[in-house]
Amino acid sequence: CYVNLGRCPQNRPIAVGVGPIFAPTLYEPLVAAPPGPVTVIAGGAGIAQRYYGRFAAYLAEQGRPTLTFDYRDIGRSRAGSIARSPVLMRDWCIRDVPAVLDHVNRQWPGRPIQWVGHSMGGFATGLAHNNALIVRQLNIATLSGYWGRMAVPERYRVRIMMGVLGIPIARMLGYLPGYLMGGEDMPGPAFIEWARWCMQPDFFFADTTLQEVELVARFRAPICFAQIEDDSWGTPAAVDAIASRFTGNAERALWRIRLHDAGASKIGHHGFFRDQFRDSLWPKALAWLDGQPAP
């Protein structure tokens, strides 16, 4: 289920493969490079891996193999209807992320594993039992999802969608249609669990059934949290709240991304991975992964 990706004219995969769990896609450098880190890009909730393809191709151009994947029942990991899917959001964190880490460790034994997490993809590693395999992690727009820390008026839209409308819809249909949250269709149980977490000031740390929360403080790799100026979900308060839980990391840095510095009028929660930031933000991300101080 792997594919070698060159810099083809459309900057798209030459071919794709489908897997039953996380359907990985490998972006390989066109020119052989000395053995170095392998990078994994983990997407946000309900966002398919194809969204991160251009950033993955950019990292591969810099000489590092880069892997993207889809959580179970999302994107290319989905096989048919998900109306009866039993998948919870915790499954993506405590089952899929460890599976990806184990897979990369087997495929590239001895190579350092670096992790780029977008939104949920950043805090998911804190719940992974084998997160010691990660040597360096960059989080983009990773946040504690409590609705009350989001920006106005977005916080009220989220409060209504997640706290009032979304759960009945997910129960009735068995899934949440992607257009309601701006992403892929989500398994009903996954959305319901996510919504419940977002209603709690302590987010998933308030879930007494999630024993893996103890692993967050044991995560040791250097970690950097990128907070984007106009991100209505990942506000300074929301990013700081999740960053404060990662107390065991050898280094914990914060990167405040300003619109002016990026030469943009807007970036938002998802925009970092757009090709327009190839020359402004992406080199800074790469520099941090290469061991330089946070911008």
Side-chain angles (χ1 to χ4, degrees), residues 14-29:
I14 299 168
V16 295
V18 177
I21 299 178
F22 51 86
T25 300
L26 174 65
Y27 295 71
E28 284 191 322

Side-chain angles (χ1 to χ4, degrees), residues 229 255-265 267 277 279-281 284 295:
E229 181 179 1
W255 175 18
R256 302 286 189 191
I257 297 178
R258 307 299 183 190
L259 296 177
H260 175 77
D261 297 336
S265 59
I267 302 175
F277 300 112
D279 297 325
S280 56
L281 298 180
K284 295 179 180 179

Side-chain angles (χ1 to χ4, degrees), residues 74-146:
I74 295 292
R76 292 196 292 111
S77 287
R78 173 177 173 174
S81 172
I82 59 170
R84 295 184 178 180
S85 171
V87 171
L88 295 166
M89 177 164 275
R90 71 181 64 195
D91 292 325
W92 296 338
C93 304
I94 69 177
R95 300 175 67 189
D96 294 354
V97 167
V100 170
L101 285 170
D102 283 341
H103 181 80
V104 173
N105 192 46
R106 288 194 305 269
Q107 291 294 317
W108 291 275
R111 298 275 291 269
I113 301 174
Q114 297 187 342
W115 193 273
V116 177
H118 176 220
S119 196
M120 185 199 83
F123 66 68
T125 53
L127 300 173
H129 67 86
N130 57 352
N131 58 29
L133 291 172
I134 299 172
V135 301
R136 201 163 180 85
Q137 176 166 322
L138 174 63
N139 291 339
I140 307 296
T142 293
L143 68 152
S144 177
Y146 173 54

Side-chain angles (χ1 to χ4, degrees), residues 178-233:
Y179 66 84
L180 293 177
M181 292 297 293
E184 300 282 302
D185 294 345
M186 291 185 64
F191 173 77
I192 291 169
E193 183 166 61
W194 184 26
R196 287 174 173 165
W197 288 351
C198 288
M199 294 302 105
Q200 299 294 326
D202 283 340
F203 195 39
F204 62 74
F205 294 94
D207 190 335
T208 58
T209 70
L210 188 62
Q211 298 179 353
E212 289 78 8
V213 296
E214 298 177 356
L215 300 174
V216 176
R218 302 177 191 174
F219 188 24
R220 296 288 184 261
I223 193 168
C224 179
F225 291 82
Q227 190 275 319
I228 299 166
E229 181 179 1
D230 67 334
D231 185 349
S232 58
W233 281 53

